Amino acid sequence: MINNGGAKLDYQALIDSDPYIIDDLMARTVVSKNSYGGIPCLDWTGSLTKKGYGNVGRGYTNYVTHRIIATYYHGDQPDLQVDHLCMNKKCQEPKHL
């Protein structure tokens, strides 16, 4: 779970409750001219947080999209910060997170 302004967000529970969320998120990305390690970034085309990260709402809760992707592909690691190795806040490429 991630502490987001006092509220704990359970990203794994979100993924478990919505079997199509990853497909939905990846459908809202475009291949970028930016890359890292020879792999192009997948830029989020939806709404952004004030800090420039991808943002998606489910019910009355907003989630940062790169954390959903990282949890799905790399496992739930709530005590770790998810960094963008490519330095591109909109990137959703799992190999860059």
Side-chain angles (χ1 to χ4, degrees):
M1 289 186 272
I2 304 302
N3 187 327
N4 185 14
K8 299 239 182 213
L9 300 180
D10 189 339
Y11 282 81
Q12 188 61 55
L14 172 66
I15 292 166
D16 293 343
S17 70
D18 186 348
Y20 302 106
I21 191 162
I22 299 302
D23 292 338
D24 290 347
L25 295 181
M26 296 312 265
R28 294 163 73 179
T29 63
V30 295
V31 176
S32 171
K33 64 180 178 179
N34 299 323
S35 67
Y36 176 79
I39 300 169
C41 293
L42 297 175
D43 284 355
W44 176 250
T45 61
S47 66
L48 301 174
T49 67
K50 290 179 183 179
K51 293 183 178 182
Y53 294 98
N55 182 56
V56 67
R58 289 292 190 262
Y60 294 103
T61 306
N62 288 318
Y63 297 87
V64 289
T65 55
H66 68 281
R67 175 56 88 166
I68 299 170
I69 298 293
T71 299
Y72 181 80
Y73 284 98
H74 304 298
D76 191 16
Q77 300 177 24
D79 296 330
L80 298 178
Q81 178 178 337
V82 176
D83 286 332
H84 289 85
L85 299 174
C86 56
M87 305 304 287
N88 177 1
K89 293 179 181 180
K90 295 189 296 184
C91 183
Q92 308 300 304
E93 169 55 59
K95 293 177 182 172
H96 295 185
L97 304 174

